[in-house]
Amino acid sequence: MPALRLLGRKWLAASDDLVFPSIFELLFRFVWLVLIALVVEVLYPITWQCQTDGWHGGAFVRLYLCGTLALQASLMLLLAALAQQSARGTITETDARKLVSPLLLLKVFLVLPEVALNVMGTMWMFCEVIECSVTDTFSSIVIQSIVLFNWVQLALTVFGLFMVFDPLGSVNYGDMQDTPNQVRHHRKVTGLWSRRFRWAFCWLKRDEHGKEAFQQVAALLSALFRSTDLVPSDVVAGCVLLRVRQKRETREMRRIQMLNDEEPIYTTDVNKVFSETPPWMNLDDALHYLRLSIAAYGWPYVLYRHCLTGFCKLARHLTCCCCRPKNSIVTDDNCCLCHFAGVKYMSKLSADDIIFASFNNRVFELPFCVISDHDRESIVVAVRGSISLRDIFTDFSAGSEKFEADGLPEDTAAHKGMSMGAAKMLRRLLPVLDRAFAQFPHYDLVLTGHSLGAGVAVLVALKLRPKYPQLKVFAFSTPAGLISREAARFTESFVMTIGVGDDLVMRLSVHSIENLRTKVIQTIHATKLPKYRIMLNGFGYALFGVPARDLESTWRRPEDLEANNSDDSDALLVQGVSTVSAEAALVSRNVFARRFSSARLFTPGRILHIARRKRMGIENNEADEEGKVRTQEPTYEMRWACPEDFMELQVMPRMLLDHLPENVHRTIQTIIEEKHSYRVTQVV
């Protein structure tokens, strides 16, 4: 940071990204140098005895051997200098690495003699053009291996240049500080991303809304890093630093709570949590409907959970072409009804209980099932979550659009992709519900879903509520950026949302990603560590956690982090957070115009947040002497949260694992089991 400029253009790499590649290549070239030195010692005297001593014989071989030896030695010195220079300074101290560009340019030019020497080695070893045969087996194998590895290394170099090539690299970063240039650059980047999507996901163009989704996601990606000079490695390093920063803030918050003797926010008492909620809001029903939500994922989820035995588990539920279920309507499944088999296996229901199942998966169109749940006398609509590339494009079509339903404020906005998904689903769902309630008129209506399915289920419920005022929604791991604040408050009476731990998707919205972008920039400027140290620390954090010493030693001035801590990072930049580069100055300018979406979207419903409980061991032996015996402690604690609690992304080790449906299911099941078995006794 900023991006490396070489050959008159900007690349998707920085001057401090070359430490590990240089060291890695240096080790390989050291091995090559040792091997080629051994070959030179053996073969150089023999070259004077070749059949021909001209350019078709000994002189050619001597030139190749000596040239390769000298080039490898030169490249090793160059790589050592490149690694040393690239490791200097922090991420923002680019002046300390001013020699990286000329050193890298020299290395690029040395590719030409390297290619020439490799061509010579190929002619000697593989083409039989040179009249100087090698009788020593070891030398022959070494030369052939070095030639082949050199071609592989050159191919990897070309591939690396392709990966860090920026098609818009000719644009000067300083020119982006003017608003007209920002707009033009934004359009160019949006068009570039759109073309990439059309090329990489060409089969999605056939979908009705495929091109629209490409444009939406391209505009989002362009807006998120508009006019910032971040490269991918800066973002990774920034996320590692954010992990340290957030742990430091959590520690300080706990210390303040202990000093103020504040009552804990979370509790392990399930009865206390649900003492003031309607009877239908309970964990037993939530676990039941979560199982149906998971069942909507079909056969891919069965194979994911049971990699070796999944096919055997599905086999007995498969249906051949001539034995279709009579009382169920199944659309867009394959000839053996594999998706339908997965739903039956995971839900433990018979085919007759599944009234309707649509497995049509397109951009803005999700599979769903309509189930008659006789145990709880309800018609259940289970909407599938994200499991395909089409679903990912629906997720990331994250702009806001107007959403209309009876009872909602006129200015209500909703997630564009999920809103369109709800509209498409309604057209197929309404006739099915009419038929279902004609058969079971006294049943209730329940909608449920996980992740993307939860968001679509809530929007569908808002549309259906005027016709079915008693409907209920059980939503699990619902995305944060779904609906306007007043509309989210309106859903609290009929939507129960459950989130677990550090779930990334529960905090994922356009607003939180934009705040993450700004915090990454702030945190990068606050650190005193070079990037290679940050990356090494990141591997250590992933394996062993963040040590306490790093919470303070990572930063230039730790007190600046406390000043920068706010719900709206962009607003704080406007207030004048001290930074040291044009990057920070640009971010602090006109940040509200940089917002991709003008409307803030929130998590709907009444939100139950479940977190893994911090184990508190017995501090000393006095507790044993007093006779306290703990037979078993609850694993989880919970509280009723508000949507504002999920407006900031947390970089945590379990942020992806806590979103997986099997982990949500395991968490709720554990709480229910411990509710009946947990006992704490005291022996006096």
Side-chain angles (χ1 to χ4, degrees):
M1 177 181 180
L4 179 68
R5 297 195 68 86
L6 191 68
L7 300 176
R9 64 181 305 110
K10 181 166 67 75
W11 299 78
L12 297 178
S15 57
D16 52 359
D17 288 341
L18 304 174
V19 177
F20 297 119
S22 298
I23 293 175
F24 185 73
E25 186 178 348
L26 182 63
L27 294 176
F28 267 96
R29 291 193 181 275
F30 174 75
V31 175
W32 296 348
L33 182 65
V34 172
L35 293 175
I36 197 68
L38 293 175
V39 171
V40 169
E41 184 179 1
V42 173
L43 292 185
Y44 190 81
I46 301 176
T47 59
W48 299 97
Q49 303 172 7
C50 290
Q51 297 91 330
T52 305
D53 194 38
W55 292 111
H56 292 281
F60 183 94
V61 174
R62 287 193 296 275
L63 177 61
Y64 170 75
L65 293 176
C66 296
T68 301
L69 187 65
L71 183 62
Q72 293 296 332
S74 302
L75 284 172
M76 284 184 61
L77 294 175
L78 182 59
L79 288 169
L82 199 56
Q84 188 269 337
Q85 289 294 318
S86 183
R88 298 183 63 181
T90 65
I91 297 178
T92 57
E93 292 173 350
T94 55
D95 289 341
R97 300 184 295 274
K98 59 185 178 181
L99 295 180
V100 169
S101 292
L103 288 173
L104 189 60
L105 190 62
L106 178 59
K107 187 179 184 303
V108 171
F109 286 144
L110 287 179
V111 170
L112 298 177
E114 190 172 14
V115 171
L117 288 170
N118 221 38
V119 169
M120 294 173 65
T122 304
M123 293 171 60
W124 179 28
M125 286 287 106
F126 299 100
C127 297
E128 299 182 357
V129 177
I130 307 303
E131 299 175 358
C132 189
S133 60
V134 180
T135 57
D136 182 63
T137 305
F138 170 77
S139 300
S140 178
I141 293 175
V142 168
I143 296 297
Q144 291 176 3
S145 301
I146 288 178
V147 169
L148 292 175
F149 274 110
N150 265 328
W151 285 125
V152 172
Q153 187 265 335
L154 288 170
L156 291 176
T157 301
V158 173
F159 177 74
L161 290 174
F162 173 77
M163 293 298 295
V164 299
F165 178 76
D166 185 357
L168 301 177
S170 58
V171 179
N172 191 350
Y173 176 72
D175 296 339
M176 292 300 99
Q177 298 187 13
D178 297 328
T179 301
N181 288 334
Q182 287 184 14
V183 174
R184 286 194 297 270
H185 185 66
H186 172 59
R187 290 174 182 170
K188 290 180 180 179
V189 175
T190 300
L192 175 64
W193 277 109
S194 184
R195 288 192 297 273
R196 286 172 174 172
F197 291 146
R198 287 198 297 270
W199 176 79
F201 310 108
C202 54
W203 65 92
L204 297 184
K205 292 191 294 184
R206 295 192 298 269
D207 288 9
E208 180 183 357
H209 299 284
K211 293 182 180 180
E212 182 180 357
F214 290 163
Q215 191 67 21
Q216 285 284 325
V217 179
L220 173 63
L221 293 176
S222 173
L224 289 179
F225 294 98
R226 183 191 309 174
S227 302
T228 61
D229 212 11
L230 294 173
V231 299
S233 61
D234 292 332
V235 179
V236 174
C239 288
V240 173
L241 293 172
L242 275 179
R243 173 74 184 101
V244 180
R245 173 179 177 176
Q246 289 168 351
K247 183 168 183 177
R248 182 180 183 275
E249 292 170 353
T250 301
R251 187 191 65 173
E252 291 299 316
M253 189 181 304
R254 288 176 181 165
R255 186 178 63 84
I256 293 173
Q257 289 177 350
M258 291 178 62
L259 290 175
N260 296 337
D261 197 20
E262 297 178 2
E263 184 179 350
I265 301 176
Y266 288 84
T267 179
T268 59
D269 189 346
V270 180
N271 294 326
K272 179 181 178 181
V273 170
F274 289 95
S275 61
E276 299 180 359
T277 59
W280 67 270
M281 284 191 184
N282 60 80
L283 289 180
D284 292 302
D285 284 347
L287 184 65
H288 174 75
Y289 291 118
L290 174 59
R291 180 163 52 85
L292 299 182
S293 299
I294 295 174
Y297 280 100
W299 68 263
Y301 187 83
V302 178
L303 296 183
Y304 156 69
R305 292 293 293 158
H306 309 282
C307 299
L308 300 178
T309 61
F311 180 78
C312 298
K313 295 179 183 298
L314 287 173
R316 64 177 180 268
H317 297 284
L318 295 176
T319 306
C320 63
C321 300
C322 58
C323 301
R324 298 289 174 136
K326 297 179 179 179
N327 298 324
S328 303
I329 300 176
V330 182
T331 65
D332 302 293
D333 204 347
N334 53 33
C335 62
C336 296
L337 299 185
C338 292
H339 279 295
F340 193 64
V343 173
K344 287 190 292 182
Y345 169 75
M346 288 186 288
S347 65
K348 311 301 180 187
L349 298 173
S350 66
D352 292 338
D353 292 333
I354 304 173
I355 301 172
F356 179 85
S358 169
F359 299 106
N360 187 33
N361 189 200
R362 297 286 183 270
V363 177
F364 304 143
E365 190 167 357
L366 301 179
F368 67 96
C369 301
V370 180
I371 299 167
S372 56
D373 184 0
H374 302 300
D375 291 340
R376 285 167 170 75
E377 295 188 341
S378 60
I379 300 298
V380 182
V381 180
V383 189
R384 198 194 74 181
S386 302
I387 203 173
S388 69
L389 276 174
R390 289 180 168 90
D391 300 331
I392 300 299
F393 276 98
T394 302
D395 283 319
F396 281 92
S397 296
S400 59
E401 69 172 14
K402 188 174 183 180
F403 184 81
E404 296 180 350
D406 291 348
L408 294 181
E410 293 183 358
D411 58 346
T412 297
H415 184 287
K416 181 178 178 65
M418 298 183 196
S419 177
M420 295 183 69
K424 281 184 167 293
M425 179 178 162
L426 271 172
R427 289 198 288 268
R428 307 189 72 180
L429 179 62
L430 288 173
V432 178
L433 290 180
D434 292 339
R435 184 166 66 89
F437 282 106
Q439 188 177 359
F440 307 103
H442 62 285
Y443 278 22
D444 296 325
L445 177 60
V446 176
L447 290 92
T448 186
H450 172 264
S451 189
L452 172 62
V456 173
V458 171
L459 298 181
V460 169
L462 287 169
K463 293 284 190 179
L464 291 176
R465 199 159 185 266
K467 187 175 182 179
Y468 304 98
Q470 302 303 318
L471 66 77
K472 304 294 185 290
V473 180
F474 288 86
F476 304 93
S477 304
T478 314
L482 181 63
I483 202 165
S484 301
R485 185 64 182 96
E486 289 302 317
R489 187 175 288 110
F490 175 76
T491 62
E492 291 178 1
S493 61
F494 62 93
V495 177
M496 180 182 182
T497 298
I498 296 181
V500 173
D502 303 317
D503 188 344
L504 170 69
V505 177
M506 285 283 291
R507 297 169 172 82
L508 191 63
S509 65
V510 173
H511 186 83
S512 64
I513 296 176
E514 289 177 323
N515 282 348
L516 178 70
R517 169 205 64 201
T518 306
K519 283 199 169 187
V520 163
I521 296 173
Q522 289 179 340
T523 309
I524 284 174
H525 283 85
T527 186
K528 64 180 183 181
L529 299 179
K531 187 183 292 183
Y532 79 94
R533 281 279 307 278
I534 297 171
M535 296 298 191
L536 288 175
N537 288 348
F539 284 109
Y541 300 158
L543 296 174
F544 310 109
V546 182
R549 64 178 182 274
D550 286 2
L551 300 182
E552 302 296 336
S553 63
T554 303
W555 318 105
R556 287 194 181 101
R557 294 186 298 274
E559 60 272 10
D560 286 350
L561 294 175
E562 299 175 3
N564 293 355
N565 188 22
S566 172
D567 291 337
D568 193 335
S569 309
D570 286 341
L572 234 164
L573 281 172
V574 174
Q575 295 169 10
V577 173
S578 61
T579 52
V580 293
S581 76
E583 173 77 13
L586 180 59
V587 172
S588 65
R589 185 183 298 113
N590 198 20
V591 293
F592 295 105
R594 293 162 52 82
R595 290 291 182 189
F596 176 72
S597 176
S598 58
R600 270 196 185 185
L601 303 180
F602 295 82
T603 307
R606 192 161 187 182
I607 307 168
L608 178 68
H609 185 240
I610 304 172
R612 183 173 290 272
R613 187 166 178 257
K614 299 290 184 182
R615 295 288 183 177
M616 301 298 293
I618 299 175
E619 297 296 336
N620 49 48
N621 294 331
E622 294 180 1
D624 288 332
E625 295 172 1
E626 291 175 1
K628 287 189 178 181
V629 178
R630 303 188 179 192
T631 58
Q632 183 182 1
E633 294 182 349
T635 308
Y636 297 96
E637 54 190 5
M638 64 200 79
R639 72 179 178 101
W640 293 108
C642 62
E644 286 77 9
D645 296 331
F646 302 94
M647 295 300 293
E648 181 179 348
L649 283 173
Q650 300 287 334
V651 182
M652 296 292 179
R654 290 189 58 87
M655 61 185 184
L656 294 177
L657 294 176
D658 285 338
H659 180 69
L660 298 178
E662 63 270 19
N663 289 335
V664 180
H665 184 278
R666 188 183 302 114
T667 297
I668 300 176
Q669 189 174 40
T670 301
I671 293 173
I672 294 174
E673 292 172 353
E674 291 179 348
K675 177 184 176 182
H676 301 291
S677 62
Y678 172 65
R679 294 289 185 272
V680 178
T681 60
Q682 282 189 333
V683 179
V684 180

